[in-house]
Amino acid sequence: MSDSGGDPRQLLWQQAQAARAACDWPQLERLLTPLLELAPNHAELLDLLGQALLMQGKAAQGCVVLQKALLAGNRSFWTPHKLGDAHRALQDPVAAVEAYEQALAWGSDSPLTSRNLLEVLHAGSEAAAIERLERLAAAEPPPWNWQAPAPWLEGACAAALRVQGPALAAWLQGHGCPDPAVRALVWRHQLFRLDLDGVLAVLADSSDGQERQLAERLARLLDPD
């Protein structure tokens, strides 16, 4: 939003930008209100107001405002992403998935989008989350750069560490993920089930000192001679 110098709207806009930078969401909401009274269909202002509401826990209001931002022509992937967050807070997983998918379709380069999408899917069905992960992988086939992973892959690793169960972590480990925390989810689950051969299979190519020590101890346990 830009106006000529001396316009009071410009001062409000500058103050709103400062409030956003400071994460002062109540102040941002107060500053945006008079601006939107003058420009009720301003897509960027609506998007910011939706964010301010969402960050204050006002998910229902934020959802309405973010939908208005889309209708007003906002095409930033962050708008449907935030809409997905609002639907998720309102416990509407179907709408949340639809919004996150729209954010991906609009070119989201944030790992938060794939992370949140996989988390919502996983909450309903591990199989659904794995199926979507397979499709993300198919769109960008390996080999992957694990040192600087693509946003979808970084988001998948983050989701694996946040959901209940090892399904996502096992998929990632099976595709070469070197993250010790992700790998630990897999071998600890197998250890809990006393699947020692499975633990050794995961640890076989480990470069982590503690993991190698564990593998050696388990190997001696299975073959003391």
Side-chain angles (χ1 to χ4, degrees):
M1 181 177 185
S2 61
D3 292 288
S4 59
D7 191 323
R9 292 176 297 175
Q10 183 65 19
L11 177 59
L12 283 173
W13 174 239
Q14 292 170 351
Q15 292 173 337
Q17 289 178 309
R20 183 187 185 189
C23 297
D24 188 344
W25 308 115
Q27 175 70 352
L28 179 58
E29 180 184 355
R30 286 192 292 271
L31 291 166
L32 290 172
T33 300
L35 287 171
L36 279 164
E37 289 175 354
L38 297 171
N41 294 314
H42 195 291
E44 184 178 4
L45 295 178
L46 288 166
D47 176 73
L48 284 176
L49 178 58
Q51 181 180 9
L53 292 167
L54 185 60
M55 295 303 291
Q56 294 178 79
K58 302 175 182 179
Q61 293 173 261
C63 187
V64 171
V65 173
L66 289 166
Q67 288 171 331
K68 287 182 178 179
L70 291 174
L71 290 174
N74 193 297
R75 288 298 176 265
S76 166
F77 72 79
W78 279 116
T79 305
H81 174 102
K82 288 180 281 193
L83 183 59
D85 290 346
H87 284 305
R88 188 178 182 186
L90 294 170
Q91 299 184 5
D92 188 345
V94 174
V97 166
E98 182 179 350
Y100 290 135
E101 291 286 11
Q102 186 175 22
L104 288 176
W106 283 4
S108 173
D109 59 3
S110 170
L112 295 177
T113 304
S114 57
R115 185 199 74 179
N116 292 4
L117 171 62
L118 291 172
E119 287 179 2
V120 172
L121 289 170
H122 188 279
S125 164
E126 284 187 352
I130 294 297
E131 188 275 334
R132 188 63 182 96
L133 187 51
E134 292 277 7
R135 287 193 285 123
L136 287 167
E140 189 175 332
W144 301 315
N145 182 355
W146 290 104
Q147 300 305 312
W152 72 268
L153 194 54
E154 184 179 351
C157 290
L161 297 175
R162 288 161 56 95
V163 300
Q164 295 294 321
L168 292 179
W171 188 97
L172 292 163
Q173 183 273 325
H175 286 76
C177 178
D179 187 325
V182 171
R183 291 167 57 86
L185 282 175
V186 181
W187 64 255
R188 286 174 180 165
H189 177 73
Q190 292 169 325
L191 187 61
F192 179 77
R193 297 170 57 207
L194 296 181
D195 180 5
L196 301 186
D197 289 331
V199 176
L200 287 173
V202 174
L203 300 180
D205 61 348
S206 177
S207 60
D208 180 81
Q210 290 184 331
E211 288 189 352
R212 289 200 306 270
Q213 290 178 8
L214 175 61
E216 292 170 359
R217 292 171 183 169
L218 290 177
R220 288 197 298 269
L221 177 63
L222 291 173
D223 187 11
D225 298 329

